[in-house]
Amino acid sequence: MTATLFIDADACPVKDEAYKVAARHGFKTFVVSNSWIRVPQTPVIEQIVVDAGPDVADDWIAERVGPGDVVVTNDIPLADRVLKAGGAAVAPNGRVFSHDMIGSALASRSIGEHLRSMGEVTKGPAAFANADRSRFLQALDQLVVKAKRVVAK
């Protein structure tokens, strides 16, 4: 059994960093998106283009993720599904999703959606910065090392 890295690739600013970490640790990597994007030509990276539509890429990932797998995503509901399947999830800014915080993250997301549906203007996410990239690299490396231990058992 080997661990796998899944990248929810639409609008993911850290794909290149994820490729490097995955290659260093020997992880098979699936780059999942709604349209074609350039990926390195290597046998361990596979591009998956799914149909356009809400949650199609998320569903593809969630149906395949399992214990020891790692998912890079900004999508909180997908992160919840990953955790429930025994995988690990990290956002491009280095935020590691955990069972302890996913409930409040889902609730905050729901409140934001409700406010926007009522016409409220809410602030979006902070701009992506170099510090986020650094936190992401550190968090992904830690999750990958931990995942390798899970699949080795």
Side-chain angles (χ1 to χ4, degrees), residues 4-12 14-16 18-19 22 28-40 42 44-50 57 60-61 72:
T4 302
L5 177 67
F6 295 91
I7 302 173
D8 185 5
D10 291 317
C12 178
V14 291
K15 290 184 286 289
D16 290 338
Y19 300 150
K28 171 74 176 175
T29 302
F30 289 98
V31 182
V32 186
S33 63
N34 296 115
S35 61
W36 185 88
I37 56 175
R38 183 180 300 278
V39 300
T42 172
V44 296
I45 298 177
E46 185 174 338
Q47 181 181 23
I48 304 295
V49 178
V50 297
W60 192 96
I61 293 169
V72 177

Side-chain angles (χ1 to χ4, degrees), residues 2-4 19-29 44 144 148:
T2 60
T4 302
Y19 300 150
K20 290 175 186 170
V21 172
R24 185 169 60 243
H25 291 281
F27 269 50
K28 171 74 176 175
T29 302
V44 296
V144 165
K148 286 169 69 174

Side-chain angles (χ1 to χ4, degrees), residues 24-100:
R24 185 169 60 243
H25 291 281
F27 269 50
K28 171 74 176 175
T29 302
F30 289 98
V31 182
V32 186
S33 63
N34 296 115
S35 61
W36 185 88
I37 56 175
R38 183 180 300 278
V39 300
Q41 296 300 306
T42 172
V44 296
I45 298 177
E46 185 174 338
Q47 181 181 23
I48 304 295
V49 178
V50 297
D51 292 334
D55 302 325
V56 178
D58 298 349
D59 291 343
W60 192 96
I61 293 169
E63 290 166 5
R64 289 159 179 82
V65 71
D69 294 336
V70 178
V71 177
V72 177
T73 187
N74 253 329
D75 188 273
I76 295 168
L78 174 57
D80 181 47
R81 294 168 73 185
V82 168
L83 292 173
K84 287 177 179 171
V90 60
N93 66 2
R95 175 181 169 191
V96 176
F97 295 97
S98 69
H99 292 284
D100 294 336

